[in-house]
Amino acid sequence: MLIYPLSGGVPAGRGGFRSLTLPANSPHCPAQARQQGELLQGKLRNLFSSHPLAFMLDETYQRHQAWMAQAIALAAEAGAVGEVPVGAIVVDEQDQLIARAANFRERGHDPTAHAEIMALRLAGQSRRNWNLTGCTLYVTLEPCPMCAGAIALSRVSLLVYGADDLKAGAVRSVLNIPDGPASNHRLAVLNGILETQCREQLQTWFAKRRRSQ
């Protein structure tokens, strides 16, 4: 795996992502995902070499921001009705929306109804195929162990998430399930997109809930 940490003046909480993990020459990684990773790797290297903040003007980065903004809006809707505010979106190879969901655990009385799980289910139904190779999953919070496992099983090619979960994050913060020995799928991961908005949305929601208890 290749990890690109951002340096050169990108402060935390300014909307820039902090690292990119790409599948590199893995026999378990689909050829299409591997090719996408190599192209993105070269593009980012050129951007970073020209200017440390150049990536923020890049069309691909702006596209990631736009989808994450939609996930944040879904999270806000869920938070307003008592759910932990997490939203998720799946787009296909043509960057077309195929699934959108938010946490539904409280309303559905379902311990597995996290935003990522709901979005993956809807995406599979939309494509009439559980295999989501070529798709990108956007989610406002780093996936938990359950969701990280489901993402690996779905064969999603790229995971883009906003805020790290330092207590239960299972992609990079606490565990790395998609890259672990039990996973036969190697996942490209981009984190920190609209991180400040995602983190503050959760912090504000939990602070309000504590005050009301």
Side-chain angles (χ1 to χ4, degrees), residues 22-208:
L22 299 173
N25 301 323
S26 168
H28 304 289
C29 179
Q32 183 182 19
R34 200 160 53 236
Q35 183 180 28
Q36 290 176 348
E38 291 170 355
L39 289 173
L40 187 54
Q41 170 188 337
K43 193 172 187 179
L44 287 171
R45 183 184 295 115
N46 291 335
L47 284 169
F48 291 151
S49 63
S50 62
H51 194 284
L53 296 180
F55 73 91
M56 297 185 73
L57 303 177
D58 178 62
E59 181 180 350
T60 300
Y61 177 74
Q62 292 175 347
R63 175 165 48 82
H64 289 323
Q65 281 191 318
W67 285 123
M68 188 62 73
Q70 291 195 35
I72 291 172
L74 288 171
E77 293 174 5
V81 293
E83 301 280 357
V84 175
V86 177
I89 281 176
V90 180
V91 302
D92 64 14
E93 300 92 329
Q94 286 74 45
D95 200 40
Q96 298 298 309
L97 176 69
I98 59 172
R100 60 201 300 270
N103 270 353
F104 198 73
R105 187 172 61 174
E106 301 297 334
R107 291 169 289 176
H109 313 295
D110 182 354
T112 71
H114 289 193
E116 302 96 310
I117 299 293
M118 303 297 289
L120 291 174
R121 288 173 179 167
L122 292 171
Q125 294 168 7
S126 174
R127 289 166 67 97
R128 295 183 178 276
N129 193 337
W130 64 267
N131 191 320
L132 301 179
T133 297
C135 294
T136 299
L137 171 65
Y138 294 86
V139 62
T140 54
L141 180 66
E142 180 181 2
C144 70
M146 174 184 69
C147 294
I151 291 167
L153 290 172
S154 76
R155 304 294 193 271
V156 163
S157 293
L158 175 64
L159 167 66
V160 181
Y161 72 85
D164 289 337
D165 185 345
L166 301 182
K167 292 184 177 180
V171 174
R172 58 161 286 174
S173 295
V174 180
L175 301 173
N176 186 351
I177 288 178
D179 214 20
S183 175
N184 61 1
H185 171 63
R186 293 299 176 256
L187 177 70
V189 178
L190 185 61
N191 76 299
I193 297 294
L194 298 186
E195 178 188 11
T196 299
Q197 294 93 318
C198 294
R199 184 179 67 252
E200 290 181 350
Q201 182 181 55
L202 285 158
Q203 291 174 339
T204 300
W205 187 89
F206 279 109
K208 184 180 296 186

